[in-house]
Amino acid sequence: MVLRGYTLYITTSRRFVRVLDLSGGHEQGSSSFKETTRPFPMLSCYESCDSSIAVTTSGEVLLVESDPWNRTWFRVYKKNPDLKNPDSSCHTVLEVDSLGGEALLLDLGFTVPANDTLGIEPDSIYFTRHYRPSQWRGRDLDICVYNLASKSLKRFSDLDSPSPMAMETKTHLLEVLQTEILGRLPLKTISRFKSVCKKWKSTIESTYFRRLFFISEPKLLLFMYGRDELIVFHGHKTWDDLPKSPVSLIPHSFRRYYIGDCDYRDSSGGLVLITDGSDKASCYVGSPVTQQWVKIPPPPSSDPKGDSTVFGLVTRLDEDGVVLSFKVIRIASYQATNDYLSSDLGVLLYSSETGVWTSKVIHSPHQIGDMSNINLNGTFYFGCLSVPGILLAHDFYSESDQFRVVQLPDYPDHNKDYKRTLTTSGGFVMYARTLAKKEETVLKIWRLMNNDDYSWQLLWEVGFPITGNYAPMAMHPFDVATVYLWSQRDHHLVSCNLLKGNYTILGDAANDGHQDCFIDKSVCKQSVDELWRSSSDLDEDLNFQVCIWLFQFVIPRWMESVPRPPQAEMIDTTSLLSYAAATHGRMMKDIEEEEYFWNEDDGKSCIGYEGKGDARVLKDMEFDGMVPSLGSNK
């Protein structure tokens, strides 16, 4: 077996590998560990050889074989990704002659980055040969190195030698063990250890350590509808002093007073976008966890009327999910074209890489239905007003000035009993659909492939023995085998494991003591009933409804600093809160000094003021009055 962070890899007697998450904090009624995937076989054609498993820095499982007596040769295998039915196959692995530039510490069962300075060679296996009693050898430490590329074996330098190389190598091996221990600590504790010394700071900020931490990192996420907090999953071991609800990290003053100071607008990659209710030109991007905020400068002279509205936030992530850059999106105009068949969306973009605003007009072959959307990897996905069964997608990091049309995978199936939602999981856009049958609920999941034609891949079609009216809420953002359903009949949340085909009913922590899932049942009931209202009286095309209003907020996976644009002003949360309070105070004082009244404007209620000057009317603040037909889901 191999323990890597909080993940335990076990080989069974039949050479199947089980992967267990020991972090705790799992669903109610489960044990203190969770099996993260189905057991999978690691079978080669040499079953009589001495074998063990190892885990790379990316979490890939390897099978390692050698001769059982002298260990003069090794073979390394990885899973065969093209095998359709590995459970019934005799050979399930492919032999490799490379470790991806890493070195394998066989006795510990994991790989580490190579280090030429210390003599830690890439694509090599480091192991000891003294521990087997059957060999009747002395107890002197005998470390050997087997190079996979050259198939050569040599003895490693004597660690007892007083030479500088031996001392540095011994130190390096101790640091490897130290890194493994640090990787099992909560993130806030790790961040404090960066101040111990330069060496620890360098280790903690390394890509190797970050990947090690991500393997063991429990997740923390929040599902929202508009500004209502519906469901919270709290991974308490990652951030050891977080409140139970991550939404409380976003101060209430950021989430809009009735006539407000600061407004929570959007989130991406763990960063949050907030706007200033009293000054449409101002907004901020930051991390509620690290408490760092970037003050975004006002839009440029290309927005002379100041009519643009802060709309959204997109981020560019590296392969480990760490934010490299962000862009703030302001909508400047929306215009229907070609007799209302198509449309143009004018936007202003602020880039953290350049620190400047740019403008572009994005052309759509159809009208955008509303501003409800999901965003992933810099791309926004919108619904369509005039054509059912499609999405409009645009990558705001691209140079393109066109929306791309994405055909939904089950259109034109107009079954009014289907409940559909668009969500994200595992770095992909996911499309989930439920159908209530007499004795079960059938769940189908498609994944939008990251290719040029935006094709869909059917991942799951599973029936669960639960009856009633179940609506798909969302999927776990990192685990593509976990989907959450809400029972409109019984008003509870169900977590479905697509791999095992089982499910767990999740309750409210206030009632049943389950401390890792928090559900506002009254808000869930109201929101779900609103989203999946009865469509029996609608025409056929309007029956094809897809929910794209549920919003995921995920706490940052790493304590990386917020990307700082050139010449940008950085402030902390305390300063931002002080500013918000002062702004709200000024707004309330202005209201007290003027006569507050309601008036009717063409049958629509609006808020008005009558003071010393002319009467002035505030427009509907839902979309700042710019495009009344478009509504924000944020």
Side-chain angles (χ1 to χ4, degrees):
M1 67 177 67
V2 176
L3 179 63
R4 193 76 193 265
Y6 285 108
T7 304
L8 180 65
Y9 302 82
I10 302 174
T11 310
T12 68
S13 58
R14 296 177 57 237
R15 287 195 174 188
F16 275 66
V17 177
R18 299 179 62 193
V19 183
L20 306 179
D21 178 7
L22 307 182
S23 61
H26 303 306
E27 296 167 357
Q28 181 185 11
S30 64
S31 60
S32 58
F33 62 87
K34 174 184 177 183
E35 196 150 4
T36 61
T37 181
R38 288 183 57 191
F40 53 89
M42 296 289 284
L43 303 173
S44 73
C45 57
Y46 304 101
E47 295 188 8
S48 61
C49 295
D50 181 39
S51 65
S52 60
I53 59 171
V55 183
T56 67
T57 58
S58 62
E60 183 180 18
V61 178
L62 303 175
L63 174 67
V64 184
E65 293 181 338
S66 66
D67 64 301
W69 300 107
N70 297 318
R71 284 195 161 184
T72 57
W73 55 263
F74 288 86
R75 287 189 290 260
V76 178
Y77 305 87
K78 67 176 184 179
K79 288 172 59 177
N80 185 349
D82 299 325
L83 206 58
K84 294 183 178 180
N85 192 7
D87 290 353
S88 60
S89 300
C90 297
H91 305 144
T92 64
V93 293
L94 297 174
E95 186 172 0
V96 297
D97 56 5
S98 170
L99 295 172
E102 297 179 344
L104 170 60
L105 305 183
L106 186 61
D107 294 6
L108 296 177
F110 53 74
T111 63
V112 297
N115 191 316
D116 293 336
T117 304
L118 302 178
I120 307 297
E121 302 175 1
D123 304 317
S124 297
I125 301 175
Y126 290 76
F127 64 98
T128 57
R129 293 199 295 187
H130 74 285
Y131 69 96
R132 294 177 179 272
S134 60
Q135 292 181 284
W136 295 102
R137 299 195 176 186
R139 293 297 178 181
D140 294 335
L141 185 61
D142 186 17
I143 300 180
C144 296
V145 185
Y146 181 82
N147 187 281
L148 287 174
S150 63
K151 310 297 183 185
S152 61
L153 178 70
K154 65 179 180 181
R155 192 175 185 276
F156 196 60
S157 59
D158 189 358
L159 295 183
D160 293 329
S161 169
S163 67
M165 175 64 73
M167 296 299 293
E168 288 185 14
T169 302
K170 189 185 302 183
T171 301
H172 178 70
L173 294 177
L174 291 175
E175 289 173 351
V176 169
L177 297 177
Q178 181 186 85
T179 301
E180 286 289 321
I181 296 172
L182 288 175
R184 302 177 192 184
L185 298 175
L187 196 51
K188 272 293 182 69
T189 303
I190 294 173
S191 65
R192 289 195 291 266
F193 283 168
K194 291 173 63 176
S195 304
V196 172
C197 61
K198 291 182 178 180
K199 187 64 178 178
W200 279 31
K201 183 176 185 295
S202 176
T203 298
I204 291 173
E205 291 180 348
S206 67
T207 301
Y208 165 70
F209 182 82
R210 194 167 64 200
R211 291 178 178 175
L212 170 65
F213 182 84
F214 285 167
I215 291 174
S216 64
E217 176 249 351
K219 311 303 187 298
L220 189 152
L221 61 143
L222 161 74
F223 298 119
M224 299 176 67
Y225 173 51
R227 290 172 180 82
D228 293 327
E229 175 186 345
L230 302 183
I231 306 160
V232 178
F233 294 92
H234 181 66
H236 55 87
K237 290 189 178 181
T238 302
W239 292 92
D240 47 356
D241 57 357
L242 281 184
K244 292 180 179 179
S245 169
V247 80
S248 61
L249 293 168
I250 307 170
H252 285 280
S253 54
F254 293 0
R255 286 181 272 149
R256 182 181 299 213
Y257 287 91
Y258 182 56
I259 302 173
D261 42 11
C262 286
D263 173 19
Y264 166 71
R265 199 63 177 171
D266 200 1
S267 176
S268 178
L271 299 184
V272 172
L273 171 65
I274 62 174
T275 58
D276 187 341
S278 62
D279 181 5
K280 293 197 302 181
S282 298
C283 61
Y284 302 84
V285 174
S287 168
V289 176
T290 62
Q291 301 187 22
Q292 294 177 318
W293 298 88
V294 179
K295 184 176 181 180
I296 307 301
S301 57
S302 57
D303 183 31
K305 296 181 181 180
D307 289 337
S308 66
T309 301
V310 176
F311 171 68
L313 175 71
V314 292
T315 53
R316 177 62 52 87
L317 311 178
D318 68 8
E319 58 182 336
D320 298 320
V322 174
V323 177
L324 299 176
S325 65
F326 65 82
K327 285 189 176 184
V328 175
I329 305 168
R330 299 181 71 105
I331 294 183
S333 64
Y334 178 82
Q335 182 177 2
T337 58
N338 192 22
D339 291 332
Y340 295 92
L341 296 177
S342 56
S343 59
D344 290 340
L345 184 68
V347 297
L348 301 172
L349 302 176
Y350 177 83
S351 171
S352 65
E353 296 176 316
T354 62
V356 298
W357 288 93
T358 57
S359 63
K360 66 190 290 189
V361 176
I362 312 170
H363 307 283
S364 170
H366 308 287
Q367 284 201 63
I368 300 175
D370 54 34
M371 287 292 110
S372 300
N373 65 81
I374 63 171
N375 82 74
L376 180 70
N377 300 330
T379 299
F380 270 84
Y381 298 84
F382 300 93
C384 182
L385 176 65
S386 54
V387 181
I390 67 170
L391 300 173
L392 299 172
H394 183 73
D395 182 357
F396 284 92
Y397 274 92
S398 71
E399 298 296 328
S400 171
D401 63 353
Q402 301 288 329
F403 276 99
R404 297 190 64 176
V405 176
V406 181
Q407 182 76 47
L408 293 176
D410 61 341
Y411 184 79
D413 192 335
H414 296 283
N415 189 333
K416 62 183 178 60
D417 294 325
Y418 287 147
K419 289 180 171 59
R420 307 172 174 92
T421 193
L422 201 67
T423 183
T424 60
S425 180
F428 290 87
V429 173
M430 312 293 283
Y431 183 73
R433 189 186 76 187
T434 58
L435 175 63
K437 293 188 175 182
K438 185 176 181 179
E439 297 182 352
E440 65 176 358
T441 296
V442 177
L443 179 64
K444 295 186 74 171
I445 305 288
W446 288 267
R447 177 172 65 185
L448 182 62
M449 303 304 294
N450 296 327
N451 50 27
D452 293 335
D453 59 356
Y454 276 128
S455 60
W456 294 88
Q457 176 189 17
L458 179 62
L459 287 184
W460 309 97
E461 184 171 6
V462 184
F464 289 91
I466 50 179
T467 58
N469 215 2
Y470 280 89
M473 296 285 284
M475 297 185 68
H476 193 288
F478 306 117
D479 182 5
V480 296
T482 300
V483 63
Y484 303 103
L485 309 180
W486 177 261
S487 172
Q488 292 183 268
R489 183 188 66 185
D490 301 319
H491 306 144
H492 60 232
L493 185 72
V494 173
S495 173
C496 297
N497 188 312
L498 299 170
L499 278 173
K500 297 181 179 179
N502 57 18
Y503 66 95
T504 302
I505 297 177
L506 303 178
D508 193 330
N511 298 326
D512 56 33
H514 184 49
Q515 296 301 308
D516 302 305
C517 178
F518 298 84
I519 305 170
D520 191 328
K521 291 188 176 181
S522 62
V523 175
C524 275
K525 178 182 181 302
Q526 179 181 354
S527 301
V528 174
D529 289 346
E530 179 181 345
L531 292 174
W532 284 280
R533 59 190 179 275
S534 175
S535 57
S536 57
D537 298 329
L538 302 177
D539 61 38
E540 187 178 70
D541 277 341
L542 291 179
N543 271 335
F544 198 91
Q545 298 184 40
V546 181
C547 170
I548 54 175
W549 296 279
L550 291 176
F551 167 70
Q552 295 179 357
F553 174 75
V554 183
I555 289 294
R557 303 179 69 192
W558 194 241
M559 65 274 190
E560 202 76 17
S561 299
V562 176
R564 181 172 185 174
Q567 300 178 344
E569 179 183 355
M570 302 287 291
I571 59 177
D572 58 21
T573 299
T574 302
S575 301
L576 193 56
L577 282 172
S578 299
Y579 170 78
T583 303
H584 182 64
R586 290 194 301 270
M587 293 284 292
M588 297 305 296
K589 185 177 180 180
D590 290 342
I591 292 174
E592 292 173 358
E593 291 177 352
E594 299 179 340
E595 182 179 355
Y596 181 85
F597 71 97
W598 288 88
N599 70 337
E600 295 292 330
D601 181 14
D602 296 331
K604 179 180 179 182
S605 296
C606 60
I607 303 173
Y609 299 92
E610 186 173 13
K612 298 179 181 179
D614 297 332
R616 49 195 174 92
V617 177
L618 293 183
K619 296 180 181 178
D620 179 11
M621 295 182 64
E622 176 57 25
F623 201 61
D624 290 345
M626 190 193 67
V627 187
S629 63
L630 304 182
S632 173
N633 68 315
K634 303 296 187 295

